[in-house]
Amino acid sequence: LHLPEKIYKGKNIMQKLIRFLAAAALVLAFSSCSSPKPVNIDPIYNEERIKYDVDSMDISIYEENIYIFEVSPEKGENISVFDGTGKKLREFGMKNGHSGTCDIADGTIYTVYNLWEYDELGEYAPSRMILYSTDIETGDSEEICCFKNISSVYKIRAVGDKLYWIGTKKDAQFFDESILTSDDTLIYHFDLGNVFGYVDLNKGEIVETDISHPVAFSERNGRIYVYNYGEGKGYQFYDYTANAVICKTNKIKNINDFEIINDNADFVFTISDVQSPYVNTLTFTGMDNTSGIIQLDDGIYPYGFSAEGDYLCLSGGENFSDNEHKVYKYYVGNVSTENPPIRVITDSDIVRDFPLFSCGYQIKKDRLSSGEFSLTVLSLDKNYD
């Protein structure tokens, strides 16, 4: 049972409390006289969470089917296709390599392969990033272009006649900076020379944008959103399609990747910093500066994901060091930041920097000085829960 978010508000507080206690008593009475059989139910949405028992290298949802990219000694690089219920439809081998990023659009699978060759010193090393397209029905593939000045490509998304990408330049300088925000939050950012751009699929031309220090990007209904860092300012969300800043926000700091899950631009994100409080949970928030953080305790450490409609496909392990990445499908139509977050005040740095876990609810924390904290509590300020 979940307590109402604002149980102390409203005129009917006693009625709410009585109903809650009565429901709790009913649950206790029922549990004492019956032993229901355990079922494989997703504790988040009260429905079955589909598990695909395949060790994945990458995943993509396309037209409600799950495409799982896998590597095995027996099959090499292979794609297995499953429907939404978990039934395997078919599989086929990749004629060209795949280096951990893909996208599917308009019946075409796009993959980036890091080609290894012998250099001038006779050492076998990665030399070129190549973009391939593969027909989803026939498996026929061809090379589109080569990223000559790019050492790594982290993510690609095809939209219309463009394929957007984020990667690292070979000749770029390492960048790092730390700033202190107005609320005394320390923000530290570093990157190896990230760049955001797109490929003109008709011409095979590669274009690099001038967005400073891009961190990650995502796409929903043809719109491209970039999360980037501004020197001396911190992080922001940028609507690349509209050429406008959505908001400046440091609430999640340096993320690894994000994927939009609904038309309100709520998104799921991963973070690579093992010291982050959100590193080992499926975590959502809104693309603004006011919503809180929603954590879902499902026992899966997320590595990568793909979203389509109301569904999220997740590749993850049971812990940070788990090398077997199984695939899970979730219904995320109930995840939303439309309701106001549970607002918490604290005068402690520890509480500010670590989450107050509340599965399924968004929590927003404000750090006050000791004096402000005392006055707010004594005044019974109704702006806080």
Side-chain angles (χ1 to χ4, degrees):
L1 293 172
H2 292 287
L3 282 169
E5 291 184 14
K6 298 185 181 296
I7 194 169
Y8 296 106
K9 291 187 177 182
K11 299 179 180 179
N12 300 321
I13 179 174
M14 289 305 297
Q15 293 179 4
K16 291 181 179 179
L17 186 58
I18 291 171
R19 284 198 296 267
F20 172 76
L21 293 175
L26 181 61
V27 170
L28 290 173
F30 179 80
S31 62
S32 65
C33 62
S34 63
S35 299
K37 296 180 179 180
V39 291
N40 183 23
I41 296 297
D42 179 358
I44 304 164
Y45 307 108
N46 293 325
E47 68 173 34
E48 185 176 358
R49 178 183 68 189
I50 298 177
K51 178 181 179 180
Y52 302 81
D53 197 15
V54 178
D55 190 9
S56 69
M57 181 173 64
D58 203 357
I59 52 176
S60 184
I61 302 180
Y62 177 68
E63 295 184 346
E64 300 183 1
N65 291 333
I66 313 298
Y67 290 75
I68 301 176
F69 297 74
E70 53 185 325
V71 177
S72 67
E74 300 81 15
K75 300 178 182 179
E77 297 189 7
N78 188 66
I79 297 178
S80 295
V81 186
F82 296 83
D83 66 13
T85 67
K87 178 183 177 182
K88 189 172 185 177
L89 302 178
R90 65 189 179 106
E91 66 177 60
F92 56 94
M94 290 289 294
K95 295 182 179 179
N96 295 302
H98 174 268
S99 297
T101 183
C102 72
D103 191 37
I104 305 176
D106 300 325
T108 302
I109 302 171
Y110 296 96
T111 56
V112 175
Y113 178 58
N114 196 347
L115 182 65
W116 286 55
E117 296 177 322
Y118 287 99
D119 59 19
E120 297 177 351
L121 300 176
E123 297 181 355
Y124 197 57
S127 61
R128 294 180 293 156
M129 303 295 298
I130 302 176
L131 174 65
Y132 289 103
S133 66
T134 301
D135 188 279
I136 206 168
E137 297 297 333
T138 66
D140 295 336
S141 62
E142 62 179 356
E143 179 180 331
I144 297 178
C145 61
C146 175
F147 296 87
K148 295 181 180 179
N149 193 35
I150 303 297
S151 60
S152 297
V153 175
Y154 308 128
K155 185 175 183 178
I156 58 175
R157 286 293 182 269
V159 180
D161 60 356
K162 292 183 174 62
L163 183 135
Y164 296 89
W165 57 273
I166 187 170
T168 302
K169 298 187 70 171
K170 290 181 178 180
D171 56 356
Q173 296 291 325
F174 174 83
F175 172 83
D176 69 324
E177 180 181 78
S178 61
I179 61 173
L180 198 64
T181 65
S182 58
D183 63 347
D184 294 332
T185 299
L186 179 64
I187 303 298
Y188 175 68
H189 174 78
F190 68 94
D191 65 63
L192 300 175
N194 289 355
V195 60
F196 172 74
Y198 64 86
V199 176
D200 186 324
L201 294 174
N202 295 324
K203 302 177 182 179
E205 295 179 352
I206 300 174
V207 177
E208 299 178 6
T209 70
D210 58 358
I211 296 178
S212 66
H213 307 293
V215 177
F217 79 99
S218 185
E219 176 267 337
R220 179 83 175 186
N221 297 330
R223 298 189 74 86
I224 305 297
Y225 302 89
V226 181
Y227 186 65
N228 72 300
Y229 180 84
E231 295 185 25
K233 299 178 181 179
Y235 295 98
Q236 68 178 18
F237 283 102
Y238 179 73
D239 186 339
Y240 180 79
T241 306
N243 191 25
V245 174
I246 299 174
C247 74
K248 298 181 183 297
T249 176
N250 291 309
K251 65 181 179 181
I252 53 177
K253 303 180 183 178
N254 195 347
I255 64 175
N256 189 45
D257 192 15
F258 73 101
E259 198 73 26
I260 301 172
I261 60 167
N262 57 34
D263 294 339
N264 295 325
D266 294 328
F267 61 91
V268 58
F269 67 90
T270 56
I271 195 162
S272 56
D273 183 4
V274 294
Q275 296 181 344
S276 168
Y278 310 117
V279 72
N280 58 355
T281 57
L282 193 60
T283 313
F284 301 82
T285 189
M287 198 175 296
D288 52 50
N289 201 30
T290 58
S291 59
I293 305 293
I294 303 173
Q295 288 183 283
L296 306 179
D297 188 13
D298 62 346
I300 303 298
Y301 180 91
Y303 283 90
F305 31 60
S306 176
E308 182 185 68
D310 289 333
Y311 291 93
L312 173 72
C313 190
L314 169 71
S315 173
E318 294 182 356
N319 52 63
F320 176 73
S321 59
D322 191 352
N323 292 322
E324 289 191 0
H325 301 170
K326 301 304 179 183
V327 179
Y328 305 85
K329 181 186 177 185
Y330 295 87
Y331 172 73
V332 291
N334 292 338
V335 176
S336 174
T337 60
E338 288 186 340
N339 294 325
I342 298 173
R343 301 191 65 190
V344 177
I345 57 172
T346 179
D347 64 350
S348 166
D349 288 331
I350 297 176
V351 176
R352 181 194 64 177
D353 295 334
F354 289 89
L356 300 172
F357 190 84
S358 179
C359 186
Y361 292 95
Q362 55 172 329
I363 290 183
K364 182 175 176 59
K365 292 175 292 184
D366 291 336
R367 186 187 185 280
L368 307 179
S369 67
S370 296
E372 291 172 332
F373 180 85
S374 300
L375 289 174
T376 303
V377 173
L378 291 172
S379 66
L380 300 179
D381 189 337
K382 293 183 179 181
N383 290 319
Y384 296 97
D385 302 305

